Amino acid sequence: MCGLVGIYGVPEAAKYTYFGLFALQHRGQEGAGIAVFNGKRIVEYKNLGLVSEAFNEKILQELAGDIAVGHVRYSTTGASVLQNVQPFCVKYSKKTLALAHNGNLVNAYALRCELEEEGHIFQTTLDSEVIIHLIVKYLKEGLVYAIAKTMKRIKGAYSVLLLCDDLLVAFRDPWGFRPLALGILNGGYALASETCAFDLLGAEYLRDVAPGEILVIDSNGPKSFLPFEEDPQPLSHCIFEFVYFARPDSFVFQKNVYLVRKNLGYNLFKECPLSADFVMPLPDSGTYAALGYSQASGLPLEFGVIRNHYIGRTFIQPSEKLRDLSVKMKLNPVKEFIRGKEVIVVDDSLVRGTTSKNRIRSIRLAGAKKIHFLISCPPLRYPCFFGIDFPQARELIASKHSVEEIRKFLDIDTLYYLSLEGLLDSVGELRDKVCLACFTGNYPLEVDFSFRKDITEI
Ligand code: 5GP
Ligand code: MG
């Protein structure tokens, strides 16, 4: 997953972009970059690490201009190296272009091979680089035509921001996998993956960039093109944005994430009403479903484990060794409180099961008498090809093991996963417009199971 910010027609655009990215930090912590049009050409700065580490005042001052795009990265294709941090910038025929992509393409490798055969030379191992190659290839006929033609060729998830000198373009795949919103900011425009970035910047939300839309912003304001008007695709918004990914104060797909997460908790109680001394979340991801469960059941909500906030999301740091270490660094049970108690522990999802096992063990060691573990989504059994870094099926614990086997593995009294119906009920009117492939294996478009994140690494 990644986060995108675009600013048009606002002085100090790079600074606004920086703060927008700061609000979207949860969407990717591997690297961050900003590209700005300085009146003549696009200049860029990218770095590994968190937004606050990647930039400083001096760097931002050098990125002068009032049109900018920015990106925070979480890798789904290509290694975690500086070269792969976006925006991806190129020069072509006296134009400078910068592209920032959220999502993952499913046919990038085939397209890349085809382009290489035609003589294209790639600089990175990103699927996103294919997009810019195609756009440039078709550019003779005009930018909008080139983007439309590219959109017809690439398959998969893409919310994209593209700077082409002094034009800011946003486009989104016709399935609408990843979010992208448009707002007004100080007489100019802002684009962001999630509306929490608008809240921080003081931008006013206007609308989402529509699935399949190309939105071109120039000095006359935004203009919309709809290359899929005749050929709409079934909407497939990623439901995992609600379950885990997005920030609870955001609206994604025009729905508030906090409320959906509370619904997940209500529905958990409806399906699995238990009695216990209290309900506790594994923070932060389990917090809002635990709150929903507590409010529906009348059981008190307690914070039985305390989170150290000064480390990033553990799942995202790529190596297995580091992940184990940071699990221990991140959460610590309040022993005095848990000792002798029967507890309902709520988390958003079980992926590999390894972090949860450690966390549950620490609650057990703190003296819990009984542990009921509730998960606010169904078993994750299938890999995601559309931008969430879910491992291959064999690493997903629920793809190989029954709920009862997982319960034994975690060494708990109850394990309950929210049903698919409970999940769908929680998103209300979006129920027919979501991608559920990680739970059902029904992919909205053809995928290649041999895909590996490092497919393009040499
Ligand atoms: P597990 O026990 O499967 O090793 O880890 C489960 C934890 O991983 C849950 O608390 C859940 O919030 C978190 N998680 C689920 N999906 C993702 C993801 O895509 N990225 C990150 N960073 N964490 C995730
Ligand atoms: Mg979590």
Side-chain angles (χ1 to χ4, degrees):
M1 188 62 54
C2 299
L4 307 177
V5 177
I7 301 289
Y8 185 92
V10 182
E12 294 193 282
K15 270 202 182 158
Y16 280 94
T17 305
Y18 169 87
F19 287 109
L21 292 178
F22 189 81
L24 299 181
Q25 185 74 82
H26 60 287
R27 296 185 70 86
Q29 295 101 48
E30 287 179 17
I34 297 177
V36 50
F37 181 69
N38 68 5
K40 282 200 190 106
R41 62 190 176 86
I42 293 169
V43 289
E44 48 150 344
Y45 184 83
K46 323 192 250 200
N47 210 341
L48 291 171
L50 300 177
V51 178
S52 58
E53 299 162 347
F55 291 92
N56 61 37
E57 186 80 39
K58 185 166 167 283
I59 294 164
L60 289 172
Q61 245 143 34
E62 282 162 15
L63 296 174
D66 48 17
I67 310 172
V69 295
H71 187 266
V72 283
R73 169 166 163 86
Y74 155 107
S75 60
T76 46
T77 300
S80 198
V81 292
L82 183 58
Q83 189 192 33
N84 280 346
V85 176
Q86 299 187 33
F88 184 74
C89 299
V90 295
K91 295 185 184 67
Y92 173 77
S93 178
K94 296 198 177 146
K95 285 189 197 313
T96 45
L97 296 104
L99 178 132
H101 169 208
N102 173 204
N104 197 64
L105 302 182
V106 293
N107 66 340
Y109 188 62
L111 288 169
R112 182 182 174 116
C113 294
E114 182 191 312
L115 289 160
E116 283 179 337
E117 250 169 54
E118 289 172 15
H120 289 242
I121 297 165
F122 283 79
Q123 295 176 36
T124 71
T125 51
L126 296 174
D127 58 336
S128 321
E129 192 178 348
V130 168
I131 306 178
I132 206 151
H133 276 255
L134 286 172
I135 293 174
V136 163
K137 178 174 159 157
Y138 304 128
L139 204 54
K140 283 191 284 299
E141 321 256 351
L143 183 62
V144 173
Y145 171 89
I147 294 172
K149 186 134 188 206
T150 299
M151 288 168 80
K152 298 278 169 156
R153 299 219 53 206
I154 55 180
K155 302 263 177 292
Y158 55 91
S159 283
V160 173
L161 294 179
L162 175 72
L163 270 189
C164 183
D165 287 337
D166 57 350
L167 292 181
L168 173 57
V169 187
F171 56 97
R172 194 168 164 218
D173 66 72
W175 301 273
F177 282 106
R178 300 284 149 222
L180 189 60
L182 170 70
I184 317 185
L185 173 67
N186 301 351
Y189 294 91
L191 288 139
S193 299
E194 294 180 31
T195 59
C196 66
F198 293 168
D199 296 339
L200 179 61
L201 299 182
E204 186 193 332
Y205 169 82
L206 270 183
R207 65 175 179 88
D208 282 5
V209 175
E213 178 179 9
I214 304 172
L215 190 78
V216 181
I217 309 182
D218 64 14
S219 52
N220 298 316
K223 202 164 171 198
S224 169
F225 301 86
L226 300 168
F228 289 88
E229 205 169 18
E230 311 284 294
D231 180 25
Q233 301 296 310
L235 290 180
S236 308
H237 303 315
C238 170
I239 201 158
F240 213 67
E241 292 274 353
F242 290 114
V243 172
Y244 171 79
F245 222 87
R247 237 170 72 161
D249 49 339
S250 286
F251 278 74
V252 294
F253 316 126
Q254 296 161 64
K255 227 175 155 61
N256 175 237
V257 176
Y258 185 107
L259 292 179
V260 171
R261 286 196 191 150
K262 260 178 71 174
N263 289 343
L264 298 172
Y266 295 150
N267 283 330
L268 267 176
F269 177 69
K270 245 197 233 164
E271 294 179 12
C272 184
L274 296 167
S275 67
D277 289 301
F278 57 81
V279 184
M280 57 177 271
L282 290 182
D284 292 328
S285 55
T287 302
Y288 310 92
L291 181 63
Y293 194 96
S294 157
Q295 291 184 358
S297 62
L299 291 171
L301 177 75
E302 300 287 0
F303 290 93
V305 289
I306 302 302
R307 176 170 172 183
N308 180 332
H309 279 273
Y310 303 97
I311 50 173
R313 282 187 170 187
T314 52
F315 188 89
I316 281 167
Q317 295 165 16
S319 92
E320 195 66 42
K321 219 169 154 188
L322 274 179
R323 191 178 297 128
D324 279 355
L325 177 74
S326 43
V327 164
K328 289 182 212 143
M329 285 164 71
K330 195 158 160 181
L331 294 183
N332 190 35
V334 187
K335 296 192 192 67
E336 289 60 28
F337 200 64
I338 287 180
R339 194 174 302 129
K341 300 281 173 39
E342 177 170 354
V343 297
I344 297 172
V345 180
V346 181
D347 202 0
D348 69 294
S349 57
L350 260 178
V351 184
R352 294 178 173 82
T354 46
T355 357
S356 307
K357 182 155 175 85
N358 287 329
R359 289 171 179 175
I360 294 287
R361 196 195 301 129
S362 68
I363 295 170
R364 181 72 75 196
L365 289 175
K369 193 171 68 188
K370 271 190 171 181
I371 300 177
H372 310 288
F373 193 29
L374 311 183
I375 306 293
S376 71
C377 71
L380 285 164
R381 297 205 164 102
Y382 302 90
C384 175
F385 297 92
F386 305 109
I388 298 223
D389 190 15
F390 281 153
Q392 298 158 34
R394 65 183 150 78
E395 289 176 53
L396 292 167
I397 190 166
S399 78
K400 280 266 163 27
H401 297 281
S402 67
V403 174
E404 177 55 16
E405 284 167 348
I406 303 170
R407 186 192 67 76
K408 284 198 181 126
F409 166 76
L410 295 174
D411 191 19
I412 48 183
D413 300 275
T414 311
L415 172 63
Y416 186 80
Y417 285 93
L418 185 66
S419 69
L420 201 59
E421 180 47 39
L423 176 65
L424 288 173
D425 178 76
S426 307
V427 297
E429 72 290 353
L430 289 182
R431 62 177 298 138
D432 303 320
K433 300 178 179 143
V434 285
C435 177
L436 300 167
C438 52
F439 306 118
T440 62
N442 297 327
Y443 293 94
L445 36 156
E446 203 183 313
V447 294
D448 172 7
F449 278 91
S450 66
F451 175 83
R452 299 278 175 281
K453 174 174 178 170
D454 58 357
I455 190 164
T456 45
E457 308 294 337
I458 301 165

